Amino acid sequence: MKNKVYLINLLYVVLAMVMAGALYVLGTPGLILLLAATVGVILFVAVIKNPALGILLIIATLPFERLLTVSVGGMTVKPVHFVIAVVGFAWLALFLLNRASLKTPLALWLALLFWLVGVWSYAVSIDPNRTLMVILFWFVALVGFWLTIQLTGETSILRKANIAVVIVASIVALFGFFQIFGDLVGLPFEITGIKPGYDKSTFGFPRVHSTLGEPLYYGNYLLVPFFLAVCYFLYGGTKSITRNYALLISLLLLSSIVLTLSRGAYLGLGVGGLLLIIWQYKRFFARDNIVVVASILTLALVMALAFFTTSSSKARDEIIAHLSVSRLHAESVVSRKDASELAVEWWRIYPWRGVGLGGYGKLELDEKFQSQTEGYQPIVNNQYLETLVETGIWGIIFFVLFFGFVLVRSVQAWFVADNDFDKATLAGFTLGIIAILAQYITFSTIYIVYIWVFLALLIANQEKILNKK
């Protein structure tokens, strides 16, 4: 036993010496690459031994869209990109060793065709460099989408992945509340992780965005886990998340979405919530559930009244103006209106194949006689119009085909699902994706990895239910 301890201590000493030598010889970038390679090898071996770890790693790194990211050559490399690469090579090794099988549901082919339309737009792109970058980032997101479908073939792994989505979102939400309280007591941005401009200086409290880039994207990320948690509550909980825990998580995620003060997130929440009540009305209006829901709404009303009666008049006015869009001259309102009009105008000029993926940014900059600046790329802030202007009619056709097919499969799976866990999971993911589609009216980034992973989990659950039947 003592010899084993000595060997471990010796290993630590040798590792420390190697790292110190690497730092001296290679410098900080070289040391980072060395550490990344070491971690990559360890994760590769771990996923080979336990494939379930692959999907859990992907889900765990999804929300790190801003924190823990690295800027390389003007591009932002995120933890999930690194994990997707490692897990992808591990799955390939498992496949070559006959320990993994290839799964090709029709939705996977439709997603590929949608991406190929984007690739096709490169031939007519007005900004080829930007188009190439968007194609590559979208490809990475689709690899994550593909890997998720491949890794969740076993029911036990899929169940773990479903639960992990809720648990990871809860941890991210707790960090968001740390941001709020940290900013209120005066902690610096370096500790809270709050992005300058979203602190308490405008509304009297920070617009929470946790590990993501801004409140709109944070609210968007939380929609799927929120509806998943709510459906688990309505269906009595699961083995891993009891009914009471599902309720607490639902409240945590709902509070986080509300505190983003994102109009787009509210739109998605409203559309998804209305559909939830209509679709799950028997569960929603069951006596035990409706009492809890009514109590929560009453508490929320009391808290809202307390806030508006105790906060400063400036904070109240700012929040009301922001949410009601009463300031039609506000930058966010004007920019979205102008971008939508410009997108429609240029789509009429290039109706079939558009101006190329990512090409809208150049249109707007040219319109304003501005040059490209590092870190700034204008977008339409409406995914439907952005798809239309950048990939033309062909792009929007495959957009509708893909998402329409996924939603139709949810309907088919719903009618054959034979247990509460499957029904709750299917309903939660479907409502979350519909909420994202509603929020797509207010933002536009086609290559967001977490959206494609959530889509893949929905598809995996659909396939499990339909294949079992």
Side-chain angles (χ1 to χ4, degrees), residues 99-314:
R99 291 176 52 194
S101 58
L102 185 64
K103 301 166 189 67
T104 56
L106 181 55
L108 187 59
W109 293 108
L110 289 175
L112 176 61
L113 289 173
F114 184 25
W115 177 74
L116 287 175
V117 171
V119 175
W120 190 33
S121 73
Y122 180 81
V124 294
S125 175
I126 62 172
D127 190 355
N129 291 335
R130 174 68 181 173
T131 298
L132 183 60
M133 190 179 76
V134 174
I135 288 172
L136 292 175
F137 274 110
W138 191 4
F139 176 75
V140 172
L142 286 178
V143 171
F145 171 79
W146 179 80
L147 278 174
T148 302
I149 292 175
Q150 306 306 317
L151 291 168
T152 52
E154 295 183 19
T155 300
S156 60
I157 296 179
L158 181 57
R159 179 180 285 265
K160 291 177 182 177
N162 295 333
I163 299 300
V165 168
V166 178
I167 300 300
V168 171
S170 304
I171 296 172
V172 171
L174 288 174
F175 178 73
F177 276 95
F178 163 76
Q179 282 186 325
I180 293 175
F181 293 119
D183 187 65
L184 289 176
V185 300
L187 292 178
F189 294 153
E190 291 79 9
I191 295 178
T192 62
I194 289 180
K195 190 175 181 179
Y198 293 118
D199 59 341
K200 62 185 177 184
S201 59
T202 302
F203 298 113
F205 64 91
R207 289 183 64 190
V208 61
H209 50 93
S210 193
T211 58
L212 287 92
E214 56 183 88
L216 181 146
Y217 291 97
Y218 179 47
N220 181 260
Y221 164 76
L222 292 177
L223 288 173
V224 167
F226 167 71
F227 283 108
L228 202 54
V230 169
C231 288
Y232 285 149
F233 163 73
L234 293 178
Y235 279 82
T238 72
K239 292 181 180 179
S240 304
I241 303 177
T242 65
R243 186 171 184 269
N244 290 335
Y245 279 125
L247 176 61
L248 289 174
I249 292 172
S250 300
L251 292 175
L252 175 65
L253 300 184
L254 177 60
S255 302
S256 300
I257 295 173
V258 171
L259 289 171
T260 63
L261 295 183
S262 168
R263 295 181 293 261
Y266 289 180
L267 175 62
L269 185 65
V271 171
L274 180 61
L275 184 57
L276 169 70
I277 295 172
I278 296 172
W279 185 3
Q280 303 294 328
Y281 70 95
K282 290 183 179 180
R283 297 270 178 176
F284 189 85
F285 292 106
R287 185 178 63 182
D288 293 344
N289 292 337
I290 196 62
V291 170
V292 174
V293 172
S295 301
I296 292 170
L297 292 177
T298 302
L299 178 62
L301 180 60
V302 171
M303 292 176 64
L305 290 174
F307 170 77
F308 277 99
T309 54
T310 58
S311 60
S312 66
S313 58
K314 178 180 180 296

Side-chain angles (χ1 to χ4, degrees), residues 217-430:
Y217 291 97
Y218 179 47
N220 181 260
Y221 164 76
L222 292 177
L223 288 173
V224 167
F226 167 71
F227 283 108
L228 202 54
V230 169
C231 288
Y232 285 149
F233 163 73
L234 293 178
Y235 279 82
T238 72
K239 292 181 180 179
S240 304
I241 303 177
T242 65
R243 186 171 184 269
N244 290 335
Y245 279 125
L247 176 61
L248 289 174
I249 292 172
S250 300
L251 292 175
L252 175 65
L253 300 184
L254 177 60
S255 302
S256 300
I257 295 173
V258 171
L259 289 171
T260 63
L261 295 183
S262 168
R263 295 181 293 261
Y266 289 180
L267 175 62
L269 185 65
V271 171
L274 180 61
L275 184 57
L276 169 70
I277 295 172
I278 296 172
W279 185 3
Q280 303 294 328
Y281 70 95
K282 290 183 179 180
R283 297 270 178 176
F284 189 85
F285 292 106
R287 185 178 63 182
D288 293 344
N289 292 337
I290 196 62
V291 170
V292 174
V293 172
S295 301
I296 292 170
L297 292 177
T298 302
L299 178 62
L301 180 60
V302 171
M303 292 176 64
L305 290 174
F307 170 77
F308 277 99
T309 54
T310 58
S311 60
S312 66
S313 58
K314 178 180 180 296
R316 289 198 300 270
D317 293 342
E318 289 289 345
I319 292 173
I320 292 172
H322 175 75
L323 296 180
S324 63
V325 202
S326 60
R327 297 177 179 174
L328 295 179
H329 62 277
E331 191 276 333
S332 63
V333 179
V334 173
S335 63
R336 280 176 164 81
K337 178 177 176 293
D338 291 346
S340 297
E341 292 175 352
L342 184 63
V344 173
E345 176 185 339
W346 280 92
W347 167 69
R348 288 172 177 165
I349 299 174
Y350 301 99
W352 290 102
R353 295 174 63 183
V355 297
L357 276 177
Y360 171 79
K362 188 175 189 311
L363 290 178
E364 183 173 313
L365 292 173
D366 289 347
E367 183 80 7
K368 297 178 180 179
F369 300 101
Q370 296 177 350
S371 59
Q372 179 67 52
T373 57
E374 185 177 353
Y376 172 68
Q377 182 67 35
I379 58 176
V380 183
N381 277 310
N382 182 316
Q383 187 60 63
Y384 305 99
L385 290 180
E386 185 158 297
T387 299
L388 192 64
V389 70
E390 292 185 349
T391 57
I393 291 175
W394 287 110
I396 203 69
I397 285 174
F398 280 96
F399 181 99
V400 173
L401 274 177
F402 171 70
F403 282 99
F405 177 78
V406 171
L407 296 180
V408 168
R409 292 287 280 180
S410 280
V411 175
Q412 293 173 336
W414 177 257
F415 285 112
V416 298
D418 58 4
N419 64 77
D420 285 349
F421 181 80
D422 284 348
K423 287 186 175 181
T425 303
L426 182 66
F429 274 112
T430 303

Side-chain angles (χ1 to χ4, degrees), residues 73-99:
M75 298 186 296
T76 302
V77 179
K78 304 167 185 176
V80 72
H81 296 156
F82 172 73
V83 169
I84 285 174
V86 173
V87 174
F89 283 116
W91 182 90
L92 181 60
L94 289 169
F95 180 74
L96 295 175
L97 293 170
N98 292 322
R99 291 176 52 194

